[in-house]
Amino acid sequence: MKTVHFVSLGCPKNLVDTEMMLGALGRDGYKIVENAEEADTVIVNTCGFIDEAKKESVEKILEMSELKKTGKLKNLVVAGCLTQRYKDELVEGLPEADLFLGSGSFQNIDKILRDREQGSKEKKFFNLPTYLQEESTPRINSQPKHRAYLKISEGCKKRCAFCAIPLIRGNLQSRKITGILGEAKLLVAGGVKELLIISHDFTDFGWDLKKADAGAKESPVELLRVLSEESGAQWIRVLYLYPDGITPEMIELIKTRQNLVKYFDMPLQHINNEMLKSMNRRMTHEEISVVLTNIRREIPEAVIRTQFIVGFPGETEEQFQELLAFVKEQEFDRVGCFKYSIEEGTKAGSMAGQISEEIKERRFQALMAAQRKISRRKQKELIGRVLPVVVEGFSDETELLLQGRTSQQAPEIDGMVYINDGVAKTGEIVMVEITDAHDYDLVGRILPTRAKEITLEARV
């Protein structure tokens, strides 16, 4: 039997592409193996977003190429964003790889490998990234059975000065709600309890369809309403919402629907108006503050997660201090921070006023130190609370502990709840009393409440 091993790097959107390749090859007779040494085909789905991700991708390709020395590995396939972005350089610089698939060709992986078996010498496959999956597209969920990512669109309509995504993934392409709902129902029928909606910006969903047809019904609010009413999912989490698209109507819907998680993943990037303008962001400090006030007024228990960039070209010490004061004032539940890095082909990459790495590091450390104090205090306030927690399985550290997440913790980007008392199955939602708290993680014990009696709305 043909065997294949996958390495998926980068964001959840890239992971969904990997899952579609898994589905196509599984349908084509491949056995998917967890150990790369057992595979005759290895596919590395790369990320090309920031420098660290690029380096990780290249290192992983070279690591996998070493398996060719054993004689088992026949096909080393390099796919994904890094390939799409640097197709000429990568093909020339990585002779160890046998096939190169851009982000517009991954969906043809089964045909490409069949043609190679039949003697094709073609090595490069690059098309415009215009592919959108259908409800019928084969896909194997690589996540634990109880959760899955649901990709609703491809590309991005925004042109942030620091971001290369439109260069790699193209312009915004939204799926039809009927197809998204159909896929969601299939996932739920397969055991998924939590749907994680992903795109480059959820709030732009449907814009392209309405531009082409004014009668199109696709919109962020309509998609949430339909998924809430018809998908059957117990938790629906939206990732990546720009603040300019978070309307009062959207806030009201999330407030009133029990299975819409009260979690706003809202990347702000900066708060100084000059910096926001330079980044080509659409909102001002004042407008962002209004959105945050609206969310907190209508949904006091909502968790707000955001991210910022420090060291963007031209950022002065005064502008950074404004950002730092804003973080302390707003007391966000979760904050991520990036040190700006130059991305080829972006507007910011050629801007004057590039900041030294030393200053970037100092500002990064200062912002994260401030947020750590906020997070520690917010975490400690949860001690004594009883929260619904989805069990993820044994702890990564020891099998003496279970680990799980509250509805207010997104997988892979937020902290965990470590359970030191009680028994539960993976995917089960149990009531947990929080007994201890750390900077980002919680500790608790399972209360003797039957799962079917648990209400899934976490009122934190």
Side-chain angles (χ1 to χ4, degrees):
M1 178 178 286
K2 298 176 291 187
T3 53
V4 61
H5 173 80
F6 275 85
V7 178
S8 190
L9 304 172
C11 67
K13 295 178 284 293
N14 212 39
L15 178 63
V16 172
D17 293 348
T18 295
E19 292 175 348
M20 286 187 277
M21 286 191 281
L22 282 167
L25 293 182
R27 183 182 59 181
D28 213 40
Y30 278 79
K31 178 183 179 182
I32 300 157
V33 295
E34 293 186 12
N35 192 337
E37 286 78 8
E38 300 175 6
D40 49 47
T41 296
V42 169
I43 299 175
V44 181
N45 198 14
T46 61
C47 177
F49 185 45
I50 58 176
D51 281 344
E52 289 183 6
K54 297 174 198 173
K55 291 175 183 176
E56 181 187 17
S57 293
V58 173
E59 288 171 359
K60 183 58 69 172
I61 294 165
L62 294 175
E63 177 189 336
M64 292 295 104
S65 71
E66 289 294 307
L67 297 176
K68 285 193 170 186
K69 297 176 181 179
T70 68
K72 173 71 173 173
L73 181 60
K74 298 177 182 178
N75 302 309
L76 176 57
V77 183
V78 181
C81 291
L82 187 71
T83 319
Q84 184 76 17
R85 188 174 184 188
Y86 299 105
K87 48 182 177 289
D88 296 329
E89 297 94 326
L90 224 59
V91 171
E92 182 178 345
L94 288 172
E96 298 87 350
D98 301 292
L99 293 169
F100 293 87
L101 281 66
S103 52
S105 301
F106 73 92
Q107 70 275 11
N108 300 318
I109 182 63
D110 50 348
K111 180 181 185 303
I112 290 169
L113 285 176
R114 282 199 306 271
D115 289 346
R116 181 172 172 81
E117 287 176 13
Q118 295 168 9
S120 172
K121 301 299 182 183
E122 183 65 39
K123 190 172 184 177
K124 302 178 291 183
F125 298 88
F126 297 103
N127 291 303
L128 292 175
T130 58
Y131 177 74
L132 281 179
Q133 72 266 38
E134 302 289 342
E135 179 184 343
S136 59
T137 301
R139 176 186 170 194
I140 295 177
N141 183 22
S142 65
Q143 296 296 289
K145 187 178 180 180
H146 58 276
R147 70 170 190 251
Y149 291 104
L150 184 64
K151 185 158 68 167
I152 62 169
S153 63
E154 189 54 87
C156 186
K157 71 183 283 283
K158 290 182 169 64
R159 295 296 184 267
C160 299
F162 51 82
C163 184
I165 289 298
L167 301 175
I168 302 170
R169 292 286 189 169
N171 292 321
L172 173 67
Q173 300 176 90
S174 303
R175 298 174 63 188
K176 294 292 186 71
I177 286 179
T178 52
I180 297 172
L181 177 61
E183 184 181 2
K185 287 181 174 180
L186 286 173
L187 290 168
V188 171
V192 168
K193 296 179 180 179
E194 178 180 11
L195 292 173
L196 298 110
I197 303 176
I198 54 172
S199 58
H200 293 290
D201 175 11
F202 175 77
T203 63
D204 279 338
F205 171 75
W207 176 88
D208 55 314
L209 299 177
K210 287 193 173 181
K211 184 178 179 182
D213 177 7
K217 296 182 179 180
E218 278 69 18
S219 73
V221 169
E222 180 63 12
L223 176 60
L224 279 184
R225 185 192 65 77
V226 169
L227 288 176
S228 175
E229 292 178 355
E230 301 183 41
S231 71
Q234 293 174 309
W235 287 357
I236 299 172
R237 184 187 309 277
V238 181
L239 299 179
Y240 219 71
L241 302 91
Y242 276 64
D244 60 319
I246 300 178
T247 63
E249 184 183 12
M250 182 185 295
I251 294 171
E252 179 65 19
L253 183 68
I254 294 173
K255 172 184 176 180
T256 55
R257 296 301 176 93
Q258 185 175 352
N259 59 354
L260 298 182
V261 174
K262 283 50 178 171
Y263 182 100
F264 290 81
D265 179 22
M266 182 171 43
L268 299 178
Q269 310 305 1
H270 215 284
I271 200 60
N272 172 266
N273 284 336
E274 290 181 16
M275 279 288 97
L276 290 169
K277 184 177 180 180
S278 183
M279 289 178 170
N280 203 26
R281 304 287 286 185
R282 293 184 176 183
M283 299 189 78
T284 64
H285 183 145
E286 295 73 22
E287 290 168 334
I288 290 169
S289 296
V290 169
V291 173
L292 293 170
T293 298
N294 289 343
I295 293 171
R296 286 169 167 153
R297 182 184 63 244
E298 296 299 322
I299 315 176
E301 71 274 21
V303 159
I304 299 177
R305 184 184 197 278
T306 189
Q307 66 185 36
F308 298 105
I309 296 174
V310 295
F312 188 79
E315 183 189 49
T316 66
E317 186 62 28
E318 182 181 6
Q319 290 167 338
F320 169 70
Q321 290 299 325
E322 181 182 345
L323 172 61
L324 185 61
F326 180 76
V327 169
K328 294 177 180 179
E329 169 198 329
Q330 289 292 332
E331 297 190 335
F332 294 103
D333 300 275
R334 321 263 191 266
V335 169
C337 184
F338 289 95
K339 290 173 282 187
Y340 171 76
S341 62
I342 293 176
E343 292 298 317
E344 301 95 327
T346 64
K347 182 180 178 181
S350 59
M351 284 182 177
Q354 298 290 331
I355 307 297
S356 72
E357 294 303 317
E358 291 76 15
I359 292 177
K360 291 177 189 176
E361 180 65 23
R362 175 176 59 78
R363 292 175 180 174
F364 171 85
Q365 294 295 340
L367 191 148
M368 293 311 297
Q371 178 58 29
R372 193 173 298 113
K373 292 179 181 178
I374 295 168
S375 179
R376 185 182 303 127
R377 180 181 58 76
K378 284 179 170 283
Q379 294 279 94
K380 288 187 180 300
E381 290 175 354
L382 295 174
I383 295 176
R385 303 291 298 272
V386 176
L387 306 173
V389 170
V390 61
V391 177
E392 297 284 350
F394 287 115
S395 164
D396 295 333
E397 305 296 327
T398 172
E399 291 192 359
L400 298 177
L401 298 175
L402 294 174
Q403 65 184 25
R405 295 177 295 107
T406 72
S407 67
Q408 311 292 45
Q409 293 171 314
E412 301 174 357
I413 55 176
D414 294 332
M416 302 290 293
V417 178
Y418 293 98
I419 301 169
N420 58 14
D421 186 9
V423 177
K425 297 178 181 179
T426 299
E428 188 177 356
I429 298 176
V430 295
M431 297 307 291
V432 173
E433 179 184 10
I434 304 303
T435 58
D436 197 5
H438 302 285
D439 288 354
Y440 303 109
D441 299 315
L442 300 168
V443 180
R445 66 184 186 93
I446 296 175
L447 295 182
T449 305
R450 291 179 298 171
K452 68 180 181 180
E453 295 175 345
I454 296 172
T455 178
L456 300 179
E457 185 174 12
R459 295 292 183 182
V460 179

